Amino acid sequence: MIYRTLISAETLDAHLADTNWRVVDCRFELSRPDAGEIAWRESHIPGSVYAHLERDLSGRIDPSTGRHPLPDPGVLADRLGEWGIGGETQVVAYDAAGGAMAAARLWWLARWLGHERVAVLDGGWQAWLAGGFATDDAIPAPGSRTFPRRPALVEPLDAGAIRHGWHLIDARGAERFRGEVEPIDPVAGHIPGAANRPFSGNLDASGKFLAPEVLRERFGAVPAESTAHYCGSGVTSCHNLLAMEHAGLSGSRLYAGSWSEWIRDPERPVAKGSE
């Protein structure tokens, strides 16, 4: 069986000994960029390698990009191979935020490189601990494989493309969307015409994804094929993409540069308020 969106802690535990599975720990904190890797070294799901959001899952920042531009696809493919991921490897990504931070980003990036065998651990690190499953602090030596480049399963959109015919969904919190606060970027507000669906609304009180039918009600007003997602820097918007795929709403796209790229050009319009 291939897991393409979410996987439970119980199912992952049953496959931990499978040699063609690879678990990737993506824990990360924007305010403390080293905290996730430190936490991984202290305790992690057995056999998991660590992916750093800024070092491994993002590219080089320049004056035209957002805060987390997409990595070079060749460099990313090499890194996946170094982690022991080949063309038939089932990848499971997790973090400590229900997949809200870098786990969903890794899920999207792998699909960008044509890899369909990738899923996010539903409930993340907390669900693993709550289930009483094993942890350790051993640093794995997975052995490198060749990660093949295949036709992309998903393609990003750029700032020019989203101006034309796309229904935009902003994954940031409501106060940031309305422009009332902006703790990270130099300009507050949102892209005109966007709707606000904070990624946190995809999860229940335990940090697991809501049922597919509930997510369909949340996102299904507009066809997925004409929906584009963004956030502050192209990371948490992947959570909304994952939620839609899990709900059977396939085909939405990612504006990878997101708000932090959009505001690099002062000619691009900015809206505030709830509309």
Side-chain angles (χ1 to χ4, degrees), residues 248-264:
L249 302 172
S250 298
S252 63
R253 304 278 291 275
L254 173 68
Y255 169 34
S258 285
W259 181 247
S260 56
E261 178 189 83
W262 181 262
I263 59 174
R264 293 279 197 169

PDB file of all heavy atoms in Angstrom, residues 248-264:
ATOM      1  N   GLY A 248      -9.756  14.754  -0.689  1.00  0.00           N
ATOM      2  CA  GLY A 248     -10.124  14.372  -2.044  1.00  0.00           C
ATOM      3  C   GLY A 248     -10.282  15.543  -2.984  1.00  0.00           C
ATOM      4  O   GLY A 248     -10.791  15.379  -4.106  1.00  0.00           O
ATOM      5  N   LEU A 249      -9.831  16.723  -2.570  1.00  0.00           N
ATOM      6  CA  LEU A 249      -9.894  17.928  -3.406  1.00  0.00           C
ATOM      7  C   LEU A 249      -8.530  18.132  -4.058  1.00  0.00           C
ATOM      8  O   LEU A 249      -7.714  18.933  -3.614  1.00  0.00           O
ATOM      9  CB  LEU A 249     -10.295  19.138  -2.562  1.00  0.00           C
ATOM     10  CG  LEU A 249     -11.637  19.007  -1.821  1.00  0.00           C
ATOM     11  CD1 LEU A 249     -11.827  20.182  -0.863  1.00  0.00           C
ATOM     12  CD2 LEU A 249     -12.794  18.934  -2.810  1.00  0.00           C
ATOM     13  N   SER A 250      -8.268  17.395  -5.115  1.00  0.00           N
ATOM     14  CA  SER A 250      -6.938  17.381  -5.723  1.00  0.00           C
ATOM     15  C   SER A 250      -6.799  18.460  -6.795  1.00  0.00           C
ATOM     16  O   SER A 250      -7.782  18.825  -7.455  1.00  0.00           O
ATOM     17  CB  SER A 250      -6.666  16.017  -6.359  1.00  0.00           C
ATOM     18  OG  SER A 250      -6.686  14.999  -5.381  1.00  0.00           O
ATOM     19  N   GLY A 251      -5.582  18.961  -6.926  1.00  0.00           N
ATOM     20  CA  GLY A 251      -5.271  19.863  -8.028  1.00  0.00           C
ATOM     21  C   GLY A 251      -5.014  21.297  -7.657  1.00  0.00           C
ATOM     22  O   GLY A 251      -4.706  22.114  -8.534  1.00  0.00           O
ATOM     23  N   SER A 252      -5.114  21.669  -6.365  1.00  0.00           N
ATOM     24  CA  SER A 252      -4.802  23.056  -6.009  1.00  0.00           C
ATOM     25  C   SER A 252      -3.298  23.286  -6.085  1.00  0.00           C
ATOM     26  O   SER A 252      -2.507  22.350  -6.096  1.00  0.00           O
ATOM     27  CB  SER A 252      -5.351  23.403  -4.619  1.00  0.00           C
ATOM     28  OG  SER A 252      -4.750  22.611  -3.617  1.00  0.00           O
ATOM     29  N   ARG A 253      -2.895  24.547  -6.128  1.00  0.00           N
ATOM     30  CA  ARG A 253      -1.498  24.891  -6.392  1.00  0.00           C
ATOM     31  C   ARG A 253      -0.921  25.750  -5.268  1.00  0.00           C
ATOM     32  O   ARG A 253      -1.648  26.333  -4.459  1.00  0.00           O
ATOM     33  CB  ARG A 253      -1.389  25.663  -7.725  1.00  0.00           C
ATOM     34  CG  ARG A 253      -1.975  24.923  -8.925  1.00  0.00           C
ATOM     35  CD  ARG A 253      -1.028  23.913  -9.508  1.00  0.00           C
ATOM     36  NE  ARG A 253       0.098  24.567 -10.157  1.00  0.00           N
ATOM     37  CZ  ARG A 253       0.076  25.023 -11.421  1.00  0.00           C
ATOM     38  NH1 ARG A 253      -1.018  24.938 -12.156  1.00  0.00           N
ATOM     39  NH2 ARG A 253       1.162  25.573 -11.955  1.00  0.00           N
ATOM     40  N   LEU A 254       0.397  25.829  -5.253  1.00  0.00           N
ATOM     41  CA  LEU A 254       1.132  26.601  -4.244  1.00  0.00           C
ATOM     42  C   LEU A 254       1.770  27.823  -4.877  1.00  0.00           C
ATOM     43  O   LEU A 254       2.512  27.708  -5.861  1.00  0.00           O
ATOM     44  CB  LEU A 254       2.220  25.727  -3.614  1.00  0.00           C
ATOM     45  CG  LEU A 254       3.189  26.421  -2.651  1.00  0.00           C
ATOM     46  CD1 LEU A 254       2.460  26.848  -1.377  1.00  0.00           C
ATOM     47  CD2 LEU A 254       4.363  25.508  -2.313  1.00  0.00           C
ATOM     48  N   TYR A 255       1.474  29.003  -4.327  1.00  0.00           N
ATOM     49  CA  TYR A 255       2.271  30.188  -4.642  1.00  0.00           C
ATOM     50  C   TYR A 255       3.443  30.152  -3.682  1.00  0.00           C
ATOM     51  O   TYR A 255       3.347  30.577  -2.532  1.00  0.00           O
ATOM     52  CB  TYR A 255       1.441  31.460  -4.504  1.00  0.00           C
ATOM     53  CG  TYR A 255       2.270  32.737  -4.562  1.00  0.00           C
ATOM     54  CD1 TYR A 255       3.418  32.831  -5.364  1.00  0.00           C
ATOM     55  CD2 TYR A 255       1.920  33.851  -3.815  1.00  0.00           C
ATOM     56  CE1 TYR A 255       4.172  33.987  -5.409  1.00  0.00           C
ATOM     57  CE2 TYR A 255       2.665  35.022  -3.859  1.00  0.00           C
ATOM     58  CZ  TYR A 255       3.794  35.076  -4.651  1.00  0.00           C
ATOM     59  OH  TYR A 255       4.557  36.227  -4.692  1.00  0.00           O
ATOM     60  N   ALA A 256       4.557  29.629  -4.147  1.00  0.00           N
ATOM     61  CA  ALA A 256       5.669  29.295  -3.266  1.00  0.00           C
ATOM     62  C   ALA A 256       6.299  30.521  -2.608  1.00  0.00           C
ATOM     63  O   ALA A 256       6.728  30.467  -1.455  1.00  0.00           O
ATOM     64  CB  ALA A 256       6.723  28.505  -4.039  1.00  0.00           C
ATOM     65  N   GLY A 257       6.381  31.632  -3.325  1.00  0.00           N
ATOM     66  CA  GLY A 257       6.998  32.824  -2.745  1.00  0.00           C
ATOM     67  C   GLY A 257       6.183  33.432  -1.626  1.00  0.00           C
ATOM     68  O   GLY A 257       6.732  33.997  -0.682  1.00  0.00           O
ATOM     69  N   SER A 258       4.863  33.357  -1.759  1.00  0.00           N
ATOM     70  CA  SER A 258       3.914  33.793  -0.741  1.00  0.00           C
ATOM     71  C   SER A 258       4.067  35.270  -0.373  1.00  0.00           C
ATOM     72  O   SER A 258       4.668  36.056  -1.111  1.00  0.00           O
ATOM     73  CB  SER A 258       3.994  32.873   0.479  1.00  0.00           C
ATOM     74  OG  SER A 258       3.362  31.638   0.206  1.00  0.00           O
ATOM     75  N   TRP A 259       3.504  35.649   0.761  1.00  0.00           N
ATOM     76  CA  TRP A 259       3.416  37.061   1.138  1.00  0.00           C
ATOM     77  C   TRP A 259       4.785  37.737   1.208  1.00  0.00           C
ATOM     78  O   TRP A 259       4.954  38.869   0.764  1.00  0.00           O
ATOM     79  CB  TRP A 259       2.699  37.184   2.480  1.00  0.00           C
ATOM     80  CG  TRP A 259       2.534  38.594   2.970  1.00  0.00           C
ATOM     81  CD1 TRP A 259       3.125  39.165   4.056  1.00  0.00           C
ATOM     82  CD2 TRP A 259       1.706  39.598   2.390  1.00  0.00           C
ATOM     83  NE1 TRP A 259       2.729  40.465   4.187  1.00  0.00           N
ATOM     84  CE2 TRP A 259       1.845  40.764   3.175  1.00  0.00           C
ATOM     85  CE3 TRP A 259       0.865  39.637   1.281  1.00  0.00           C
ATOM     86  CZ2 TRP A 259       1.175  41.950   2.888  1.00  0.00           C
ATOM     87  CZ3 TRP A 259       0.185  40.822   0.990  1.00  0.00           C
ATOM     88  CH2 TRP A 259       0.356  41.951   1.794  1.00  0.00           C
ATOM     89  N   SER A 260       5.777  37.038   1.756  1.00  0.00           N
ATOM     90  CA  SER A 260       7.087  37.671   1.925  1.00  0.00           C
ATOM     91  C   SER A 260       7.757  37.960   0.587  1.00  0.00           C
ATOM     92  O   SER A 260       8.602  38.852   0.497  1.00  0.00           O
ATOM     93  CB  SER A 260       7.999  36.814   2.808  1.00  0.00           C
ATOM     94  OG  SER A 260       8.139  35.505   2.294  1.00  0.00           O
ATOM     95  N   GLU A 261       7.389  37.236  -0.460  1.00  0.00           N
ATOM     96  CA  GLU A 261       7.866  37.573  -1.807  1.00  0.00           C
ATOM     97  C   GLU A 261       6.979  38.638  -2.451  1.00  0.00           C
ATOM     98  O   GLU A 261       7.478  39.574  -3.082  1.00  0.00           O
ATOM     99  CB  GLU A 261       7.875  36.328  -2.694  1.00  0.00           C
ATOM    100  CG  GLU A 261       8.323  36.619  -4.118  1.00  0.00           C
ATOM    101  CD  GLU A 261       8.134  35.438  -5.046  1.00  0.00           C
ATOM    102  OE1 GLU A 261       7.007  35.253  -5.566  1.00  0.00           O
ATOM    103  OE2 GLU A 261       9.107  34.686  -5.248  1.00  0.00           O
ATOM    104  N   TRP A 262       5.675  38.506  -2.284  1.00  0.00           N
ATOM    105  CA  TRP A 262       4.733  39.444  -2.890  1.00  0.00           C
ATOM    106  C   TRP A 262       5.082  40.894  -2.538  1.00  0.00           C
ATOM    107  O   TRP A 262       5.068  41.775  -3.402  1.00  0.00           O
ATOM    108  CB  TRP A 262       3.322  39.109  -2.417  1.00  0.00           C
ATOM    109  CG  TRP A 262       2.236  39.977  -2.962  1.00  0.00           C
ATOM    110  CD1 TRP A 262       1.657  41.050  -2.349  1.00  0.00           C
ATOM    111  CD2 TRP A 262       1.584  39.836  -4.229  1.00  0.00           C
ATOM    112  NE1 TRP A 262       0.683  41.589  -3.145  1.00  0.00           N
ATOM    113  CE2 TRP A 262       0.621  40.870  -4.314  1.00  0.00           C
ATOM    114  CE3 TRP A 262       1.720  38.945  -5.288  1.00  0.00           C
ATOM    115  CZ2 TRP A 262      -0.212  41.023  -5.430  1.00  0.00           C
ATOM    116  CZ3 TRP A 262       0.898  39.095  -6.401  1.00  0.00           C
ATOM    117  CH2 TRP A 262      -0.041  40.125  -6.465  1.00  0.00           C
ATOM    118  N   ILE A 263       5.429  41.143  -1.294  1.00  0.00           N
ATOM    119  CA  ILE A 263       5.668  42.519  -0.851  1.00  0.00           C
ATOM    120  C   ILE A 263       7.055  43.032  -1.216  1.00  0.00           C
ATOM    121  O   ILE A 263       7.368  44.196  -0.954  1.00  0.00           O
ATOM    122  CB  ILE A 263       5.450  42.649   0.668  1.00  0.00           C
ATOM    123  CG1 ILE A 263       6.380  41.714   1.441  1.00  0.00           C
ATOM    124  CG2 ILE A 263       3.995  42.402   1.019  1.00  0.00           C
ATOM    125  CD1 ILE A 263       6.325  41.883   2.953  1.00  0.00           C
ATOM    126  N   ARG A 264       7.895  42.198  -1.834  1.00  0.00           N
ATOM    127  CA  ARG A 264       9.200  42.688  -2.292  1.00  0.00           C
ATOM    128  C   ARG A 264       9.040  43.751  -3.385  1.00  0.00           C
ATOM    129  O   ARG A 264       9.905  44.614  -3.538  1.00  0.00           O
ATOM    130  CB  ARG A 264      10.023  41.524  -2.843  1.00  0.00           C
ATOM    131  CG  ARG A 264      10.453  40.490  -1.817  1.00  0.00           C
ATOM    132  CD  ARG A 264      11.672  40.924  -1.054  1.00  0.00           C
ATOM    133  NE  ARG A 264      12.301  39.794  -0.375  1.00  0.00           N
ATOM    134  CZ  ARG A 264      13.489  39.841   0.191  1.00  0.00           C
ATOM    135  NH1 ARG A 264      14.190  40.969   0.155  1.00  0.00           N
ATOM    136  NH2 ARG A 264      13.984  38.780   0.800  1.00  0.00           N
TER     137      ARG A 264
END
